[in-house]
Amino acid sequence: MGSLRVAVLKDADGTERRVALDPDGVTRLLKAGDGSNIEVLVESGAGSAAWFSDESYSAAGARLVDRASVFTEADVILSVRRPLAGDIDRLRSGQAFVGLLGPLTDPEMMSELATRGVTAISLDGLPRTLTRAQGMDALSSQANVAGYRAVLVAAAHFDRFFPLLITAAGTAKPANVLVLGAGVAGLQAIGTARRLGALVSGYDVRPAARDEVKSLGAKFIELTAAISGAGEGGYARELTPEERAAQQAELAEHIARHDVVITTAQVPGRKPPLLITADTVARMKPGSVIVDMAASVLGGNVEGSAPDLTNVTANGVTVVGAGNLASEMATSASQAYSRNIGALVAHLITDGQLSIDLAGDEIAQGVVITHDGQVVHPGTEALLKTPAATESGDSR
Ligand code: NAD
């Protein structure tokens, strides 16, 4: 029997279809522990919504258990998202809970986990520019899946072909697709729309994005307004109100000419920037489609969009507020997430035990939110001191 028990919890809020570890991830984790000092438990049915059967987990070497046993037996619990409110009471001191916890959007839950003595580890705190952490970058892997899916969602709502088609029944013009925000999700959306045969343009406020957009065979939209939105760590900065107004006005001209617009713009720690006003939507042609990947309870890139809400405007534009797009492609998203979380857990294990080095390990410094009864993540700690300051739709 292994000395460290790692358990996969079913994300059971009724909407999440991803699972934290796939059967291949079980095999990898057992190998990382040399087969002798790690045991992997999987909650029965944990992978079923992503098409991983209980049998496939058993075959990979996991022991299937019920939900209660996950909490009583595990040293480390793996999840995709936060624990359910009803599960928090079942977590015990010394246990670690690993997932995409979004600590900045629910600092109070992190405080509760600290009080319970739980070590909360969140993949969204990972220092993404560290080369050795790239295999653990779940924000990128899930954004990649979501960017791909956004194009399929847009295509499914669009009542015309994406590619140029020449048939005996006539010629179909290719769709004009515009992707706003060319980070991980945006670049994947550009590549996917290109593969479907659309004419694709991209735009980002970071000058570095220009070459990346062009290298995918898309056109980069240049604005005449001198806005350079590069911020810290490769991310964008928040624009001033004047810059934002200039950007909205100039983008409106381009948006009106496109059939499909996919928006992905985010600024870490801030609510998503508004790129498309209702007036701009009103200028688009009937039958046009917008997918707002930034839709959040705090607002999105498109005025009036909300997560999981699809609305057809009076002028016939379908505005899709994306929900959890990665969960809609649960198998690929879980396979990638499994690699990320498995690599992170393997990194944190020394001699068959979870060992957290907050003094010397940059990766631990980023991902460990609570430890030894304390909230140790500076951003989360700051929010708990001034809760009114939270404006974040994002957890980095
Ligand atoms: P993100 O989700 O924070 O934002 C998405 C995009 O929105 C970004 O490209 C951002 O510039 C853009 N944006 C923000 N405000 C905008 C506005 N007003 N108008 C237009 N666009 C706007 O970004 P992300 O996908 O997480 O990636 C951000 C950066 O980090 C990219 O440069 C990416 O290549 C880099 N990155 C690096 C690594 C690595 O070094 N290993 C890993 C992941 C991402």
Side-chain angles (χ1 to χ4, degrees):
M1 179 153 299
S3 56
L4 184 78
R5 286 183 178 160
V6 180
V8 180
L9 185 70
K10 182 174 171 68
D11 274 73
D13 74 347
T15 64
E16 181 58 68
R17 288 178 49 213
R18 291 171 290 176
V19 61
L21 212 58
D22 67 353
D24 184 50
V26 172
T27 310
R28 285 170 181 278
L29 204 54
L30 290 172
K31 254 192 212 148
D34 230 1
S36 59
N37 51 14
I38 294 184
E39 189 185 11
V40 181
L41 316 183
V42 173
E43 180 183 344
S44 184
S48 60
W51 311 108
F52 302 116
S53 66
D54 282 357
E55 294 70 32
S56 61
Y57 283 105
S58 296
R63 176 159 64 89
L64 289 157
V65 295
D66 61 14
R67 192 170 186 83
S69 304
V70 167
F71 293 99
T72 52
E73 292 196 40
D75 301 303
V76 181
I77 298 178
L78 307 186
S79 173
V80 177
R81 299 198 307 193
R82 286 183 200 127
L84 299 181
D87 286 333
I88 291 188
D89 289 349
R90 303 160 98 174
L91 290 165
R92 55 187 165 72
S93 182
Q95 216 162 28
F97 193 97
V98 193
L100 279 168
L101 307 182
L104 301 187
T105 49
D106 196 349
E108 288 76 21
M109 181 186 276
M110 300 305 124
S111 169
E112 214 178 326
L113 293 173
T115 307
R116 298 191 70 80
V118 174
T119 296
I121 298 175
S122 187
L123 283 104
D124 38 20
L126 194 81
R128 297 169 79 193
T129 46
L130 277 187
T131 308
R132 65 197 159 90
Q134 276 174 17
M136 308 170 195
D137 187 351
L139 284 179
S140 286
S141 76
Q142 303 305 291
N144 189 43
V145 174
Y148 171 86
R149 185 72 176 184
V151 175
L152 303 190
V153 169
H157 281 282
F158 188 53
D159 284 333
R160 284 174 32 204
F161 290 110
F162 265 34
L164 167 79
L165 277 190
I166 301 169
T167 73
T171 299
K173 284 194 298 184
N176 283 300
V177 174
L178 173 62
V179 177
L180 299 178
V184 178
L187 291 174
Q188 180 56 257
I190 288 171
T192 305
R194 288 260 305 146
R195 286 190 288 273
L196 276 179
L199 290 176
V200 186
S201 302
Y203 166 76
D204 197 292
V205 78
R206 286 179 300 109
R210 180 184 297 113
D211 287 345
E212 291 173 329
V213 168
K214 285 186 177 169
S215 74
L216 292 172
K219 193 176 144 207
F220 188 79
I221 300 240
E222 307 275 0
L223 301 191
T224 56
I227 303 169
S228 176
E232 281 171 23
Y235 291 111
R237 65 173 172 84
E238 191 171 39
L239 301 185
T240 64
E242 294 74 31
E243 287 172 327
R244 192 161 50 232
Q247 188 190 54
Q248 285 169 0
E250 223 178 314
L251 279 179
E253 305 297 323
H254 294 280
I255 291 163
R257 284 199 293 274
H258 283 82
D259 304 305
V260 172
V261 182
I262 295 171
T263 65
T264 77
Q266 297 278 0
V267 177
R270 315 301 299 174
K271 66 180 181 189
L274 182 67
L275 305 181
I276 307 184
T277 63
D279 284 349
T280 302
V281 178
R283 290 176 56 183
M284 294 178 80
K285 294 179 292 251
S288 303
V289 176
I290 303 175
V291 175
D292 183 3
M293 290 187 65
S296 77
V297 286
L298 299 168
N301 294 152
V302 183
E303 192 172 350
S305 75
D308 292 311
L309 182 77
T310 298
N311 177 36
V312 182
T313 63
N315 63 317
V317 178
T318 302
V319 181
V320 182
N324 184 349
L325 288 175
S327 170
E328 288 180 24
M329 272 199 29
T331 307
S332 289
S334 302
Q335 283 168 333
Y337 185 80
S338 173
R339 288 284 189 118
N340 302 143
I341 200 168
L344 176 63
V345 170
H347 170 76
L348 295 174
I349 292 175
T350 310
D351 295 334
Q353 292 304 318
L354 198 69
S355 91
I356 306 285
D357 171 14
L358 285 175
D361 178 8
E362 273 180 281
I363 293 177
Q365 284 162 3
V367 297
V368 178
I369 311 299
T370 67
H371 191 51
D372 282 342
Q374 305 289 326
V375 173
V376 295
H377 181 250
T380 311
E381 223 184 334
L383 280 181
L384 285 164
K385 283 186 189 138
T386 51
T390 180
E391 224 196 31
S392 172
D394 186 293
S395 42
R396 281 163 276 169

